[in-house]
Amino acid sequence: MRFPRTSGVLLHPTSLPGPHGSGDFGPAAYHFIDWLVSAGQKLWQILPLGSIGPGNSPYMSTSAFAGNPLFIDLQDLANRGWLDQTELAQIYFPADRIDYATVIPFRMMHLRCASESFFSSGGDDHEAFRAFCEEQKAWLGDYALFMALAQRDPSKEWSDWEPDLAHRKPTALESAKRQYGKEIRFWEFVQWNFFRQWRDVKQYANERDIKIIGDIPIFIAYHSADVWTHQHLFYLDQNLRPNVVAGVPPDFFSETGQLWGNPLYRWEHHQKENYAWWIERLRAVTQLTDIVRIDHFRGFAGYWEIPAKETTAINGRWRPGPGSRFFTAVKSALGQLPIIAEDLGVITPDVIELRDRFELPGMRILQFAFAGDTANSFLPHNYVHNTVVYTGTHDNDTSRSWLQSATERERMFAQMYLKTDGREIHWDFIHAASESVADMALYPLQDILGLGNEARMNLPGKSEGYWEWRFQWRQVEDWHANRLRNMSAVHGRNDIKPLPLPDYPTGRALP
């Protein structure tokens, strides 16, 4: 699927400013959309909106359908009379990092207080809540029950629950629903607020001609409502534990590969059901976003299977994915979806053939462009139109920090190729991406602001210290938006007339 020539910014909502410890769907989200408009951008790319997992990663969620409770704007709940305004201001949070150990209990405590207030009162909101539960019943009931059961002992995974619950015996499920009814309603309330607030944010963006690019991980966490509910769709042993897990072999990021640990799909069972679970998953994410990036697209052509007993990803083997059968079934059910294929890593001809057969745009990362020769597919002169180019992604360092850690050859190649002394390598990368033939160009906000390693979002293979970065509005100056707006205008990525500008801080007068 070809996309129009546009550009935008990569920023996960957790990185937004705000008073309650982490970015959310409150006023800062709307302010950021307004800033995108002023900067002449058309796209806002986010990371997965699901709950965070180990290491605070949004790629290990407890549900493929549910939203992250941390995104809920608590002030909105206070405005509706479900929270005490004064209690929200009684704790201080760092402005530039997320302290998850403090933020999570604070936010969950207030969500529980809001839930108590909501269910003890009346009003029209109750009808909206009931309508939401009915609309999302295909997944919401199982998810809410899973969360209620999981809260009893968070140290246990679902396979360690009572055998009848782990095996989902109907009598055990009905008994649990009666016993934990109040807790189930709480998790339904949380999801209602997530979806209600995100719907308003997305509508605000779309009304201003901003499209949301979402992100869907190919795999999901073992300790999730989906694996518990659909056990037959995953490789599990007689003890309901994964016998093989996901990851990637040794690559650019790690000499021992990446051992993700997600359970692997029994694709033959998915095929027997005409990929129904996946189709509903894609239907759900395309209702939350306008475009969807599928993470680890190559796994649909072939995936790296690692025995569950391994401690690294070295000793694995390639296994065939569902290939064209999967995408044919999806297209038949949902039509031509606006999908970006994350085709990074070990890419073989079958991956390229699958991507091109369904006309899906692939990804190019400028930080990967200077390690090889002039045939490197990440160099802009080798792009095709149906491509999405990034200066870097959430898994990369910032562009400024990249230059500092690059090899001497990479630095020299980049400086010669981009005709730069490297002092503004972040803007040089943005400019190269913007003027390329790629249909879409995306820039992490960290690069627009020229930040260093302290603003890195994630380091693959590291389980602590990441996913914490937040920006503050004082870091964003008028010239940032104006420079981006003009650059996008002269490169045909918006239909805005460039503004006359004074010299930029570096003394440069041209975008």
Side-chain angles (χ1 to χ4, degrees):
M1 178 178 182
R2 285 290 302 275
F3 291 94
R5 185 172 173 81
T6 50
S7 60
V9 178
L10 168 60
L11 180 81
H12 198 42
T14 54
S15 296
L16 290 164
H20 302 132
S22 61
D24 56 33
F25 298 155
Y30 295 86
H31 189 178
F32 181 68
I33 292 167
D34 292 338
W35 182 85
L36 288 173
V37 173
S38 73
Q41 302 306 290
K42 300 291 187 180
L43 304 168
W44 177 11
Q45 178 162 344
I46 58 178
L47 304 180
L49 290 173
S51 299
I52 57 176
N56 304 314
S57 169
Y59 289 89
M60 290 288 277
S61 179
T62 52
S63 171
F65 296 87
N68 184 353
L70 300 185
F71 285 137
I72 296 172
D73 174 24
L74 298 179
Q75 185 59 52
D76 171 66
L77 306 188
N79 294 343
R80 291 170 177 269
W82 303 334
L83 287 177
D84 187 327
Q85 297 270 11
T86 58
E87 291 182 358
L88 291 179
Q90 291 181 356
I91 187 169
Y92 168 79
F93 294 101
D96 59 343
R97 311 294 297 182
I98 301 173
D99 179 4
Y100 287 99
T102 304
V103 169
I104 292 174
F106 172 84
R107 283 183 170 267
M108 295 309 298
M109 176 188 71
H110 282 89
L111 288 174
R112 289 189 177 278
C113 290
S115 177
E116 292 277 353
S117 297
F118 173 79
F119 287 113
S120 64
S121 64
D124 295 339
D125 284 327
H126 282 256
E127 180 55 38
F129 168 73
R130 285 190 290 270
F132 168 79
C133 293
E134 176 63 24
E135 179 185 291
Q136 304 295 331
K137 65 182 180 181
W139 64 270
L140 183 60
D142 284 313
Y143 163 78
L145 177 57
F146 174 86
M147 294 301 295
L149 295 171
Q151 294 304 303
R152 300 175 304 169
D153 186 349
S155 67
K156 285 186 176 181
E157 293 183 310
W158 63 263
S159 54
D160 297 322
W161 295 346
E162 300 91 315
D164 284 355
L165 283 174
H167 287 273
R168 293 182 57 82
K169 296 295 180 64
T171 53
L173 295 179
E174 290 303 317
S175 176
K177 289 175 185 178
R178 291 191 297 270
Q179 183 176 356
Y180 300 105
K182 181 178 179 181
E183 185 72 3
I184 289 170
R185 286 193 300 275
F186 165 71
W187 289 105
E188 292 172 339
F189 170 80
V190 167
Q191 289 305 305
W192 171 56
N193 281 286
F194 170 91
F195 277 79
R196 176 180 60 80
Q197 291 185 0
W198 177 245
R199 176 202 62 206
D200 292 345
V201 171
K202 182 178 180 294
Q203 180 178 335
Y204 188 85
N206 291 164
E207 288 172 351
R208 286 151 184 80
D209 200 24
I210 302 292
K211 293 188 181 302
I212 306 292
I213 302 178
D215 193 328
I216 183 169
I218 185 173
F219 300 117
I220 59 171
Y222 168 69
H223 188 59
S224 65
D226 302 275
V227 180
W228 176 59
T229 304
H230 304 282
Q231 297 169 25
H232 66 293
L233 297 179
F234 300 86
Y235 281 109
L236 305 177
D237 63 20
Q238 60 183 3
N239 297 316
L240 304 180
R241 301 289 304 175
N243 45 27
V244 288
V245 296
V248 290
D251 60 8
F252 174 84
F253 291 109
S254 173
E255 294 180 355
T256 58
Q258 298 177 44
L259 180 62
W260 296 335
N262 310 74
L264 291 171
Y265 298 111
R266 295 179 65 97
W267 283 116
E268 69 278 13
H269 288 197
H270 285 266
Q271 184 181 4
K272 289 177 182 176
E273 298 179 4
N274 202 29
Y275 304 101
W277 178 83
W278 259 102
I279 287 170
E280 289 311 307
R281 186 184 185 194
L282 286 167
R283 191 196 309 275
V285 76
T286 52
Q287 291 173 350
L288 290 174
T289 62
D290 301 297
I291 302 167
V292 58
R293 168 191 179 272
I294 297 185
D295 190 55
H296 197 58
F297 172 81
R298 77 137 299 121
F300 291 101
Y303 59 90
W304 191 244
E305 178 188 273
I306 308 163
K309 67 179 187 300
E310 294 290 333
T311 57
T312 75
I314 294 175
N315 296 319
R317 61 173 180 167
W318 288 109
R319 300 284 289 165
S324 60
R325 294 188 302 272
F326 171 83
F327 287 99
T328 299
V330 169
K331 188 174 182 178
S332 176
L334 302 177
Q336 182 70 48
L337 291 182
I339 289 174
I340 297 170
E342 187 272 283
D343 55 347
L344 306 176
V346 180
I347 301 305
T348 48
D350 58 329
V351 182
I352 297 171
E353 191 279 331
L354 182 63
R355 181 198 69 199
D356 292 349
R357 177 173 179 177
F358 291 91
E359 300 180 305
L360 305 178
M363 289 174 52
R364 296 293 178 267
I365 311 300
L366 275 171
Q367 289 186 21
F368 297 162
F370 304 102
D373 58 22
T374 56
N376 188 326
S377 64
F378 293 101
L379 285 167
H381 69 261
N382 292 319
Y383 295 171
V384 297
H385 288 286
N386 199 24
T387 296
V388 186
V389 57
Y390 296 76
T391 57
T393 73
H394 63 280
D395 281 336
N396 298 105
D397 208 338
T398 67
S399 292
R400 267 191 57 203
S401 187
W402 171 85
L403 186 67
Q404 294 168 2
S405 60
T407 66
E408 182 178 1
R409 183 192 177 281
E410 286 176 317
R411 287 196 297 271
M412 290 180 62
F413 190 2
Q415 288 176 239
M416 291 177 64
Y417 190 92
L418 300 171
K419 295 181 289 187
T420 178
D421 59 10
R423 287 184 300 168
E424 276 200 312
I425 192 65
H426 49 296
W427 278 107
D428 296 323
F429 272 15
I430 292 170
H431 187 278
S434 180
E435 72 174 353
S436 77
V437 299
D439 287 338
M440 289 193 283
L442 287 150
Y443 330 113
L445 185 65
Q446 295 96 314
D447 283 351
I448 295 168
L449 301 182
L451 302 179
N453 179 261
E454 76 285 351
R456 181 167 188 160
M457 194 65 171
N458 181 47
L459 179 59
K462 299 294 183 182
S463 60
E464 295 182 359
Y466 292 95
W467 308 107
E468 298 175 357
W469 174 74
R470 301 176 72 197
F471 81 95
Q472 298 299 300
W473 285 116
R474 58 178 170 74
Q475 297 173 281
V476 184
E477 301 182 43
D478 290 345
W479 69 266
H480 287 118
N482 291 340
R483 186 171 185 177
L484 199 57
R485 170 193 174 105
N486 279 5
M487 185 182 295
S488 301
V490 300
H491 293 151
R493 294 192 181 276
N494 62 37
D495 53 3
I496 301 172
K497 183 178 179 180
L499 294 171
L501 292 175
D503 285 356
Y504 294 113
T506 59
R508 297 186 181 186
L510 296 175

